[in-house]
Amino acid sequence: MNIRRAVMLMVALGLTALSAAAQDGIASGPGPQALRFTPINPCRVVDTRNPTGPFGGPAIQGGMSRNFPLPQGSCGLPLGATAYSLNVTVVPSGPLGYLTIWPTGQQQPVVSTMNSPDGRVKANAAIVLSGNGGAAVSVYVSDTTNVILDIDGYFTPVNSSNLAFYPLTPCRVVDTRNPTGELGGPSLVAGMERDFALLQSSCNIPATAQAYSLNVTVVPHSALGYLTVWPASRQQPVVSTLNAPTGAVTANAAIVPAGAGGDIAVYPTDDTDLIVDIDGYFAASGMNGLSLYGVTPCRVLDTRGGNGAFSGELTVDVTGSSCAVPSTAQSFVLNATVLPQAPLDYLTLWPDGQQQPLVSTLNASDGVAASNMAIVSTTNGSIDAYTTDLTNLILDISSYFAP
């Protein structure tokens, strides 16, 4: 193993701090540029399990990276896309130390997007800026694995048709563990689609919303192959939102376009309960609409370097960290990682100064390290974190929303 790879692996496993380059908060690409969102029907753009090709096999070998020119795929992406909203899934050949995804043409950042130390199929959402060479993204894996990239939308410079982001106080929209109802029980049945009328919730989602920023959690009754979320009334796409092959409670963020009547559709391969929380939505530009700004990935928090593992509530000053996030930021795009010392029921992130909401960001009920993307709004540059059980917490930032 060469020195650079050894350092990268140490960081991915949480054994050292980020490099100075990843700590300076320098904007990715040519400079901080206001970007807004265009949703698309979820689409599979890369699957290395398929026959050999630019978007297919072979599997990525351990210690190697591979570039994927997304606009040249079959999902109809424009060449002018500046960032992508992706779902990244790994199907490892064995234990996978880490996977990193970043814009092609930039130096590989000393961070990880996900880990699968027990070799299970795992997914994590990611908003990734586009790179050089046909707006490509690069993927590096520490160990041999197949990789799947699904896309639900893209960002471009502000124009008259793309959508602004509007943060909401985190709110629980669906919980099938509750009594039978439109947004409650019964549990999802294996192989059966169920639609949910999100606009009927009490979460103050306007009918103008064209896409939702959601956190989707499954509480499987046994092993769950996969769950797919997509806009209701459209044909079910060949994509997955999350996987829970061990039957553990599992969460993943998802930006989901609104379907007919604002509804979303959900399909599970196996019986499971479902929880859906919302933290914002995308709609036509208007008052209080926000744009996305990319930054070099930077570590905002690592409790192992401070007071250590904690349980209960912790306040994190994001704009006051070394990541140089401007005070204009009103929502942060974070990757949250927990390193629990025992089973962890859940972690919740929310705006500092507000009452803790009845939502969750991620779960690690099996005590294994878990990560999830989270879009967390703020009114004062800080956010709050609550964990039910003793854990270390790492927060990395990749972008933010601001006026």
Side-chain angles (χ1 to χ4, degrees):
M1 179 182 293
N2 62 38
I3 295 175
R4 184 170 185 269
R5 186 187 173 198
V7 172
M8 294 286 293
L9 182 58
M10 291 174 66
V11 173
L13 296 176
L15 299 178
T16 187
L18 287 176
S19 68
Q23 291 284 359
D24 62 11
I26 299 172
S28 298
Q33 184 178 30
L35 308 175
R36 293 199 169 177
F37 186 63
T38 299
I40 65 172
N41 203 44
C43 180
R44 179 146 295 173
V45 64
V46 170
D47 190 340
T48 65
R49 299 171 302 176
N50 289 339
T52 297
F55 301 97
I60 305 178
Q61 297 299 303
M64 302 294 291
S65 64
R66 184 173 167 190
N67 303 334
F68 296 100
L70 300 188
Q72 299 176 29
S74 59
C75 293
L77 302 175
L79 287 173
T82 315
Y84 306 103
S85 174
L86 300 172
N87 197 59
V88 185
T89 303
V90 292
V91 185
S93 302
L96 171 65
Y98 69 97
L99 173 146
T100 299
I101 185 168
W102 76 99
T104 298
Q106 297 184 15
Q107 183 177 358
Q108 182 179 340
V110 190
V111 296
S112 62
T113 304
M114 65 169 64
N115 315 76
S116 184
D118 56 1
R120 78 177 75 171
V121 178
K122 295 183 73 172
N124 194 11
I127 294 176
V128 185
L129 297 182
S130 60
N132 302 326
V137 298
S138 297
V139 177
Y140 171 90
V141 295
S142 62
D143 304 274
T144 300
T145 184
N146 279 296
V147 174
I148 300 166
L149 299 181
D150 298 328
I151 187 165
D152 51 58
Y154 57 88
F155 293 84
T156 50
V158 177
N159 59 48
S160 60
S161 61
N162 50 17
L163 306 179
F165 179 68
Y166 297 84
L168 290 172
T169 299
C171 182
R172 181 142 293 173
V173 183
V174 173
D175 191 339
T176 64
R177 300 171 301 176
N178 289 339
T180 298
E182 181 68 36
L183 301 171
S187 303
L188 302 185
V189 177
M192 299 292 292
E193 175 187 337
R194 182 174 170 189
D195 295 352
F196 292 94
L198 300 194
L199 298 181
Q200 294 185 19
S201 74
S202 59
C203 294
N204 298 317
I205 308 169
T208 55
Q210 297 185 41
Y212 309 111
S213 175
L214 303 175
N215 198 60
V216 181
T217 303
V218 291
V219 185
H221 298 179
S222 60
L224 171 67
Y226 66 88
L227 177 132
T228 299
V229 184
W230 75 98
S233 76
R234 301 183 191 176
Q235 184 176 358
Q236 181 180 341
V238 184
V239 303
S240 58
T241 302
L242 57 77
N243 314 76
T246 66
V249 178
T250 303
N252 196 18
I255 296 176
V256 184
D263 295 1
I264 64 170
V266 180
Y267 171 91
T269 56
D270 304 275
D271 292 351
T272 186
D273 276 296
L274 174 72
I275 301 165
V276 179
D277 300 326
I278 189 167
D279 52 58
Y281 63 92
F282 293 87
S285 298
M287 186 176 297
N288 301 321
L290 304 180
S291 299
L292 180 76
Y293 297 84
V295 300
T296 298
C298 179
R299 184 142 295 173
V300 171
L301 174 74
D302 187 340
T303 60
R304 296 165 303 172
N307 295 325
F310 75 102
S311 62
E313 186 173 333
L314 177 70
T315 298
V316 182
D317 184 357
V318 178
T319 57
S321 72
S322 61
C323 294
V325 181
S327 59
T328 54
Q330 295 186 19
S331 287
F332 309 114
V333 181
L334 302 168
N335 198 61
T337 301
V338 291
L339 303 170
Q341 301 189 357
L344 170 66
D345 192 11
Y346 66 89
L347 166 93
T348 298
L349 302 176
W350 75 98
D352 179 52
Q354 297 184 10
Q355 183 177 356
Q356 181 180 344
L358 181 62
V359 302
S360 58
T361 301
L362 59 78
N363 313 78
S365 56
D366 54 6
V368 177
S371 299
N372 196 12
M373 188 186 85
I375 299 177
V376 187
S377 60
T378 184
T379 58
N380 60 8
S382 295
I383 64 171
D384 289 335
Y386 173 85
T387 177
T388 55
D389 303 278
L390 196 65
T391 187
N392 277 295
L393 174 64
I394 300 169
L395 296 176
D396 296 329
I397 188 168
S398 59
S399 53
Y400 62 90
F401 289 95

